[in-house]
Amino acid sequence: MPTHDIERYLNVRSAYGVSFGPDGERLSFLMDTTGVPQVWTVDGPGAWPEQRTFYDERVTFASWSPKNPELVFGMDEGGNERQQLLRYDPVTGGVTDLTGMPDAKHRWGGWSHDGERFAFTSNRRDEAVFDVYVQGRGETGEAAELVREGDGWLTVGGWSPDDSKLIVSEAYSNFDQDVSVLDVETGELTHLTPHEGTVRFQSASWGPDGESVYLVSDRDGDTMDLWRVRVDSGEFSLVTADEEWEIEGVAVDQESRRVVYSTNVDGYTELAVGELTDPDRIDEYAVPDLPRGVAGGVSFSPDGGRFAVTLTRSSDTTNVYVVDAKRGETEQWTRAATAGIPRDTFVEPELVHFPTFDGREIPAFFSLPAADHGDGETPVIVDIHGGPESQRRPSFNAVKQYFLANGYAVFEPNVRGSAGYGKAYGHLDDVEKRMDSVADIEAGVEWLHDHPAVDPDRIVAMGGSYGGFMVLAAMTEYPDLWAAGVDIVGIANFVTFLENTGEWRRELREAEYGSLAEDREFLESISPINNVEKIRAPLFVLHGENDPRVPVGEAHQVVEKAGEHVPVRELIFADEGHGFTKRENRIEAYEAIAEFLDEHV
């Protein structure tokens, strides 16, 4: 059957980032119809959506006021992640710049319940740390009140029911956080989660009475469970647990006492809904009638009777659904277009597990093209996720579907260090164990060699960000395995990466990779740039000029050195940051990748 070009696939839309309006009848969401995500609204399931913002830059989130017909949205410039906050009036279409400090990052913290104030954290005082601010809805710029100075990576998690306090979280690494409560009037901070070692305290939400905070944590085991902590005493009590999988998030509607929490079951989301009939008890309602996939971003209606959620799955586009909390009945409110590509051509992956060097079983998603006949002639793209403490999940990916339609298989491993499988698994690649995760990639390729459909001489390594490091590391450690490599905004040298990454990120990243002060020699030893002469396969390196996380110098140095002995191509986008958000750039990037792989694989 005929296949479509990459441009057609990159015109497949996604609708996500949902927020219920104060009237309970309108939703806002983000959709990338114009080439970059913008704010849209819709007034009912299947109704015609209306575009609300019209910028060349991406919108990063949108949040309706709980009382007033207005919303706040975020936007950066050229992918530099220095997000500004802006207010949109849907009656007049007017936009007000609330922050007006383009050199600083602003991280949204939510509306007060009366809709008169909002909270955020920002590094406007000191680039390396985040402070907590509160600002009136009609105020702009320097009018924001500095409530609490921080000394690290702070985020705000929402207002107490009486709007007197804020939840404040501080991250030391992806597997270590603290949660506190901040008195808005006095600036006093009450620490709720004292602990030793690395413990995750995530997704903190106020309880209905304002006397408790609900959160997920691995404080008492390997995986995260749902806990309640009393604000006055710091006493913890277990609300619900899963013996095998991570409870990864919780949302609480304070007035209706309704709760939605999600469990990550081998990459798939299982939602549970119920009501807090007492502080430590959830009486569960019907299971939401949602397709099997990955769901998140819960937004309750004003009365708590419904909630909206974003759902994505490999074989369909990302869309917004609204769920009746009690009955579990579900309506799809958006129908993001597939650019004329039949939905039934999108491929669902197979969840597989392969053995690695120390006897562990490593999970992966493996997708074969529909035309595969198991005759050993199929090329494979090994697509390695970033993070590193992230997880490849069965969500929609237009680029993946393009390659599947053009005869490539796609193998997506969740090597050691990935999130979703417990604390111990997540720590298996820390610092001196970094290269064990690369050995898992080698084991995955060996598994592919034994698969009857796979051509072992046509296997490609591809990944972005930390996944780009994994591509380069796999090509230097196991050079004979690869027909080609594609490194997207990847790390080539851990030392120069840590020296040049954004000031606000360095300490957080050193907690995972190792510190410049104590681990420099080791970081040098595992940096692909220092072993680049071992690469034997053609390499394509892509990057954004404005990348604040992995500076573009990482691309330049590996291109220069690898280009001395293997075919290397470099593509830099002047108006992008850590990844490619503008559709014209994505088209150019992935057309070039497809041409590169057609030539060399």
Side-chain angles (χ1 to χ4, degrees):
M1 63 178 285
T3 59
H4 302 285
D5 61 20
I6 187 65
E7 181 172 355
R8 178 71 72 87
Y9 276 86
L10 290 173
N11 275 292
V12 174
R13 319 300 191 202
S14 296
Y16 61 97
V18 61
S19 177
F20 249 114
D23 60 2
E25 301 300 325
R26 174 178 292 177
L27 298 177
S28 70
F29 60 95
L30 304 185
M31 190 160 63
D32 53 355
T33 298
T34 61
V36 289
Q38 297 295 303
V39 180
W40 294 66
T41 60
V42 64
D43 295 336
W48 191 263
E50 184 173 353
Q51 186 175 348
R52 298 292 185 165
T53 61
F54 299 85
Y55 294 99
D56 293 331
E57 302 291 353
R58 63 178 178 177
V59 172
T60 50
F61 79 92
S63 176
W64 278 104
S65 164
K67 295 295 184 183
N68 304 308
E70 61 186 6
L71 56 80
V72 166
F73 66 94
M75 189 167 62
D76 66 2
E77 184 177 354
N80 66 4
E81 299 186 13
R82 297 179 187 272
Q83 176 178 263
Q84 305 299 300
L85 306 179
L86 303 98
R87 187 179 70 246
Y88 173 75
D89 182 338
V91 177
T92 67
V95 174
T96 302
D97 187 345
L98 297 172
T99 48
M101 296 188 179
D103 291 333
K105 292 170 64 77
H106 300 84
R107 310 181 73 200
W108 178 244
W111 290 97
S112 61
H113 291 79
D114 61 8
E116 293 303 314
R117 294 178 294 171
F118 57 89
F120 62 91
T121 59
S122 177
N123 64 345
R124 55 172 66 172
R125 178 182 62 87
D126 180 340
E127 186 176 6
V129 301
F130 286 84
D131 303 325
V132 180
Y133 293 82
V134 168
Q135 185 168 327
R137 57 176 290 274
E139 297 175 335
T140 60
E142 295 183 0
E145 178 188 358
L146 173 58
V147 179
R148 177 81 183 191
E149 290 188 359
D151 59 4
W153 189 274
L154 299 185
T155 56
V156 173
W159 297 72
S160 61
D162 65 359
D163 286 339
S164 67
K165 298 180 177 66
L166 293 166
I167 292 173
V168 176
S169 297
E170 182 168 7
Y172 312 111
S173 74
N174 287 351
F175 275 85
D176 190 19
Q177 301 91 30
D178 264 320
V179 174
S180 300
V181 165
L182 175 64
D183 187 297
V184 174
E185 183 175 345
T186 67
E188 180 182 354
L189 202 66
T190 302
H191 185 198
L192 299 183
T193 56
H195 64 278
E196 296 181 358
T198 60
V199 182
R200 288 175 290 175
F201 296 97
Q202 298 176 359
S203 189
S205 301
W206 284 101
D209 54 12
E211 297 177 358
S212 301
V213 170
Y214 292 84
L215 48 76
V216 297
S217 176
D218 55 10
R219 65 185 298 271
D220 195 35
D222 185 56
T223 57
M224 292 194 293
D225 302 317
L226 177 54
W227 295 84
R228 178 177 72 95
V229 54
R230 289 184 58 90
V231 173
D232 57 358
S233 66
E235 178 186 358
F236 274 83
S237 52
L238 182 65
V239 180
T240 189
D242 188 285
E243 293 183 0
E244 184 176 4
W245 301 107
E246 304 253 55
I247 298 178
E248 61 182 350
V250 59
V252 181
D253 184 64
Q254 294 163 14
E255 290 193 17
S256 69
R257 308 183 68 86
R258 289 186 173 135
V259 178
V260 179
Y261 65 91
S262 59
T263 304
N264 181 342
V265 179
D266 232 342
Y268 292 90
T269 302
E270 293 185 0
L271 289 183
V273 185
E275 183 177 341
L276 285 164
T277 52
D278 68 43
D280 296 330
R281 175 177 170 178
I282 300 174
D283 283 0
E284 295 201 355
Y285 296 147
V287 175
D289 183 22
L290 287 165
R292 188 173 186 236
V294 182
V298 169
S299 176
F300 283 100
S301 64
D303 64 1
R306 296 171 297 160
F307 65 91
V309 66
T310 300
L311 185 135
T312 178
R313 52 194 177 119
S314 291
S315 59
D316 202 356
T317 52
T318 303
N319 277 294
V320 171
Y321 294 76
V322 173
V323 181
D324 182 286
K326 279 191 174 181
R327 297 192 296 270
E329 297 170 354
T330 300
E331 292 182 297
Q332 184 175 340
W333 274 47
T334 67
R335 300 191 181 278
T338 64
I341 303 170
R343 281 182 165 82
D344 61 9
T345 64
F346 298 143
V347 176
E348 277 285 335
E350 178 188 2
L351 175 62
V352 302
H353 297 81
F354 61 88
T356 191
F357 66 92
D358 59 358
R360 297 178 191 276
E361 292 286 318
I362 304 298
F365 292 100
F366 186 47
S367 305
L368 281 168
D372 184 83
H373 301 294
D375 53 8
E377 296 182 357
T378 302
V380 182
I381 296 171
V382 178
D383 190 359
I384 309 167
H385 71 69
E389 291 148 332
S390 183
Q391 182 186 21
R392 186 55 54 88
R393 304 183 70 171
S395 55
F396 186 80
N397 184 319
V399 173
K400 170 183 168 180
Q401 295 297 336
Y402 166 78
F403 282 118
L404 286 164
N406 282 272
Y408 290 88
V410 179
F411 185 72
E412 303 166 283
N414 281 310
V415 298
R416 68 189 64 213
S418 299
Y421 307 97
K423 179 172 17 183
Y425 193 81
H427 284 312
L428 286 176
D429 69 339
D430 287 357
V431 193
E432 73 279 358
K433 297 177 282 190
R434 177 69 43 211
M435 303 310 285
D436 288 352
S437 63
V438 186
D440 289 343
I441 297 294
E442 189 267 346
V445 174
E446 293 300 327
W447 182 88
L448 288 170
H449 284 180
D450 293 334
H451 196 285
V454 171
D455 182 345
D457 295 324
R458 292 196 293 162
I459 298 180
V460 177
M462 183 166 72
S465 189
Y466 176 80
F469 156 75
M470 291 289 281
V471 167
L472 297 174
M475 295 180 76
T476 55
E477 293 294 309
Y478 307 100
D480 295 331
L481 297 182
W482 308 105
V486 180
D487 161 27
I488 304 170
V489 298
I491 301 166
N493 185 330
F494 276 111
V495 172
T496 56
F497 157 67
L498 290 171
E499 287 175 340
N500 296 307
T501 194
E503 291 284 344
W504 60 89
R505 302 186 72 252
R506 185 172 299 115
E507 185 175 347
L508 200 67
R509 293 294 82 204
E510 284 187 329
E512 164 69 22
Y513 298 130
S515 74
L516 290 170
E518 298 180 7
D519 304 297
R520 180 180 290 262
E521 184 177 348
F522 173 73
L523 292 170
E524 292 278 13
S525 73
I526 66 167
S527 292
I529 193 67
N530 296 322
N531 300 291
V532 76
E533 73 281 354
K534 297 179 181 178
I535 294 177
R536 298 182 186 175
L539 176 65
F540 192 4
V541 179
L542 303 92
H543 220 101
E545 187 73 40
N546 304 320
D547 193 338
R549 302 189 184 194
V550 181
V552 69
E554 295 297 298
H556 295 326
Q557 57 181 311
V558 76
V559 166
E560 180 182 354
K561 290 195 174 182
E564 296 174 359
H565 65 281
V566 293
V568 176
R569 181 175 177 185
E570 181 181 51
L571 181 56
I572 308 296
F573 292 95
D575 56 348
E576 295 282 11
H578 195 63
F580 315 129
T581 60
K582 296 180 171 66
R583 180 167 291 117
E584 62 270 21
N585 293 339
R586 287 173 54 80
I587 290 169
E588 182 180 351
Y590 287 105
E591 278 184 344
I593 290 171
E595 291 169 1
F596 174 81
L597 295 184
D598 286 346
E599 177 183 356
H600 295 289
V601 181

